[in-house]
Amino acid sequence: MKQLETSNAGPVWHFFSQICAIPHPSKHEQQLSLWIQHWAREKGLAVDEDATGNLKISKPATAGMENRAGVVMQAHLDMVPQKNSDSTHDFVTDPIRPYIDGEWVTADGTTLGADNGIGMASALAILDSDDVPHGPLEVLLTIDEEAGMTGAFNLQPDWFNGKILINTDSEQNGEVYMGCAGGVDANFNLPIEREVASGQMAAMKFELRGLKGGHSGCDIHLGRGTANQLMAQLLRHIGQQHTLQVSNFSGGSLRNAIAREADCELWVFATEQDEIQAKAEAFFRQHQQLLSVKEPTMSLAVSRVSSDTVPLSQTSSQQLINLLCALPHGVVRMSDSIEGVVETSTNLGVVRTEADTVSVQCLIRSLNDTGRQQIAEQHAAIAELSGASVSFDGAYPGWEPDTNSIAMTTVRETYQALFGKLPNIMVIHAGLECGLFKAAYPDWDMVSIGPTIRFPHSPDEKVEIASVDDYWTLLKGVLAAIPAA
């Protein structure tokens, strides 16, 4: 990574390396926060931390820029902790290990944290600079964006003076975002009964691996498989001709990441194990062919295991399988007004089996409250039919586009002047914090930019090196072009 520090975006890569070295998964951002606070105070910058854990760092305008509108640069402190099944990485204690892979930077078997580490690094680089002209500047670093937007939900009013907010959490070079989807979590609990399996039954295990996963907003339109749904469909296929009792179903790890892996332990009649394995493998081959372009590395391992776990009853097993098969996953509706943009989607994110219940976490996203509520009602109806309960929490609003935005106009004109072409003005299906900021700062004029990041929320996450150069050039240009207040 050192060689990147001599590039145009060298200051960004310098701070990104520092960020990668300090563990900062969601709910565990304090170590990184303390390092940033210490660094900022050594620079002589004003630093403040609110009761929630959000940081504000202030820097005076450079000479001659004092009359410009105040800018708030914003990023989030946390990263998504996802790793490959063979990785021993501990996100709470171990540093991320980034490396250069051709034209990209990626990490060794884990998420990279370019989402939103590059944006955070760019904010620190601006604070550190002596040669980047800007007006009055404040940096907002929020906590827990990936796991619940806790920092944005609790942002206190009258804390910031800036009128223009630059969110750095977008993931496509050449695109300027001026709106985003809102969302809500759907949390299912299915009561289960356990029943000792017949003495003629034996345990088997199905392990689904190798799916790409990805961001449940940015990547939901790509048509990738979700391990939870594929495993449930496999079990339903087997259960149509064979008696089975599920003893454990586990899949996915985050409600905002497409599930890459799923495991299921089940009991079947011992005399039928060969036939069941053959049917499972045949079913998998059909879906492997169906998803050959999108999921070329997915695999299914079928094994016979020794188990002392008391399985679910046949009735509870069937209820669980039906629930998971019935829950929707993927794009529900494309936008009528914005071509190529997903309006509404849902992600079947996490399944966990406990002693007397199975929990399922889904994340519903929509550009409008009506779409979000419609899918929430569908989830509620499925819960009622399956005998489960469902609660909805963590709802956050979308960010409605403002066609008169001075911030958007400034970014668009600066981009055209620097690169000789207009950027794409977009609305993103991912959930940015901007919609929540409007509660405390209704007059903020907001825009979101960033470099090209592929496959966030998965161990395949990578950031394009050239796009970081462009992003850094654009960011400096925008700060210099902010109009007078």
Side-chain angles (χ1 to χ4, degrees):
M1 294 289 291
K2 277 290 183 183
Q3 61 185 286
L4 294 178
E5 296 186 19
T6 62
S7 68
N8 168 55
V12 179
W13 292 114
H14 168 74
F15 281 104
F16 184 64
S17 294
Q18 300 294 313
I19 290 166
C20 288
I22 303 171
H24 57 286
S26 300
K27 312 292 185 183
H28 299 277
E29 306 99 323
Q30 186 177 26
Q31 185 179 354
L32 178 58
S33 175
L34 290 173
W35 179 83
I36 291 172
Q37 291 179 62
H38 176 74
W39 169 83
R41 290 191 176 103
E42 282 199 332
K43 287 284 297 180
L45 300 169
V47 185
D48 193 11
E49 182 179 18
D50 68 12
T52 303
N54 298 316
L55 296 183
K56 181 182 78 168
I57 308 171
S58 304
K59 184 181 180 184
T62 54
M65 301 278 285
E66 294 86 356
N67 69 331
R68 302 298 179 93
V71 169
V72 180
M73 281 190 65
Q74 188 267 324
H76 59 81
L77 283 159
D78 60 320
M79 66 169 286
V80 168
Q82 287 274 284
K83 62 182 180 180
N84 290 324
S85 57
D86 59 352
S87 172
T88 60
H89 186 92
D90 186 335
F91 284 96
V92 177
T93 59
D94 298 340
I96 299 298
R97 297 184 293 273
Y99 66 92
I100 298 172
D101 183 14
E103 298 176 352
W104 303 81
V105 171
T106 188
D108 183 13
T110 69
T111 36
L112 173 64
D115 171 16
N116 183 214
I118 292 291
M120 187 175 6
S122 70
L124 298 181
I126 294 293
L127 291 171
D128 189 51
S129 70
D130 296 321
D131 59 354
V132 176
H134 57 78
L137 180 67
E138 296 163 303
V139 169
L140 167 61
L141 302 178
T142 53
I143 67 160
D144 199 37
E145 189 269 352
E146 301 289 8
M149 295 196 178
T150 305
F153 268 113
N154 292 284
L155 186 63
Q156 63 189 48
D158 303 320
W159 197 28
F160 288 87
N161 297 312
K163 300 301 182 184
I164 292 176
L165 181 129
I166 301 175
N167 171 276
T168 64
D169 199 15
S170 294
E171 294 161 358
Q172 181 59 54
N173 183 34
E175 294 183 353
V176 180
Y177 290 93
M178 55 182 298
C180 71
V184 65
D185 297 337
N187 303 304
F188 291 80
N189 278 288
L190 176 67
I192 55 175
E193 295 180 350
R194 293 186 179 270
E195 182 178 276
V196 176
S198 161
Q200 298 177 323
M201 301 182 82
M204 299 183 73
K205 188 172 186 180
F206 295 162
E207 297 172 282
L208 191 56
R209 297 284 184 271
L211 282 81
K212 288 183 178 180
H215 192 296
S216 71
C218 298
D219 299 325
I220 200 70
H221 65 290
L222 297 179
R224 295 175 178 172
T226 173
N228 289 327
Q229 194 173 67
L230 284 170
M231 182 66 80
Q233 291 169 347
L234 170 59
L235 295 176
R236 182 171 173 82
H237 175 72
I238 298 298
Q240 287 175 343
Q241 295 183 4
H242 300 274
T243 298
L244 63 82
Q245 292 177 243
V246 174
S247 55
N248 183 66
F249 191 120
S250 176
S253 59
L254 293 168
R255 96 261 191 264
N256 59 354
I258 301 170
R260 298 178 299 110
E261 300 176 348
D263 295 335
C264 183
E265 185 180 281
L266 64 154
W267 290 74
V268 300
F269 283 109
T271 57
E272 297 178 349
Q273 284 183 301
D274 288 342
E275 186 179 356
I276 287 172
Q277 180 167 350
K279 286 185 177 179
E281 291 171 348
F283 178 90
F284 175 75
R285 284 193 298 271
Q286 290 175 350
H287 285 74
Q288 191 176 38
Q289 183 177 6
L290 181 67
L291 294 169
S292 60
V293 175
K294 304 293 186 181
E295 301 288 0
T297 62
M298 76 173 186
S299 63
L300 175 70
V302 180
S303 58
R304 303 176 190 194
V305 296
S306 176
S307 176
D308 56 4
T309 303
V310 177
L312 282 63
S313 67
Q314 291 183 35
T315 299
S316 288
S317 296
Q318 196 61 53
Q319 284 179 313
L320 170 60
I321 294 168
N322 288 341
L323 170 63
L324 296 178
C325 286
L327 283 172
H329 170 87
V331 175
V332 176
R333 180 177 169 82
M334 299 296 291
S335 173
D336 290 335
S337 56
I338 310 171
E339 185 177 356
V341 172
V342 178
E343 178 190 279
T344 306
S345 74
T346 181
N347 180 53
L348 178 51
V350 185
V351 183
R352 291 289 181 269
T353 306
E354 307 297 340
D356 56 3
T357 188
V358 176
S359 63
V360 182
Q361 290 181 298
C362 302
L363 175 55
I364 302 166
R365 301 179 189 264
S366 184
L367 296 179
N368 56 69
D369 290 345
T370 301
R372 187 181 68 187
Q373 184 61 32
Q374 182 181 37
I375 303 305
E377 291 294 340
Q378 182 182 11
H379 281 61
I382 292 170
E384 187 174 340
L385 288 169
S386 66
S389 62
V390 63
S391 62
F392 299 94
D393 58 32
Y396 57 93
W399 165 25
E400 187 175 353
D402 176 9
T403 56
N404 298 314
S405 167
I406 293 173
M408 184 270 290
T409 301
T410 302
V411 174
R412 182 185 61 201
E413 293 177 351
T414 302
Y415 187 95
Q416 184 177 28
L418 289 169
F419 303 111
K421 57 184 178 180
L422 286 170
N424 295 321
I425 309 301
M426 302 286 291
V427 173
I428 193 171
H429 190 60
L432 299 174
E433 295 164 286
C434 298
L436 288 170
F437 294 154
K438 285 287 189 179
Y441 296 90
D443 296 327
W444 266 356
D445 183 0
M446 301 185 294
V447 68
S448 182
I449 56 176
T452 297
I453 299 172
R454 292 285 182 264
F455 316 127
H457 298 193
S458 84
D460 296 323
E461 181 186 6
K462 58 184 181 179
V463 59
E464 187 181 36
I465 296 169
S467 74
V468 177
D469 275 0
D470 288 350
Y471 163 67
W472 179 237
T473 298
L474 176 63
L475 179 61
K476 292 186 294 181
V478 168
L479 291 174
I482 295 294

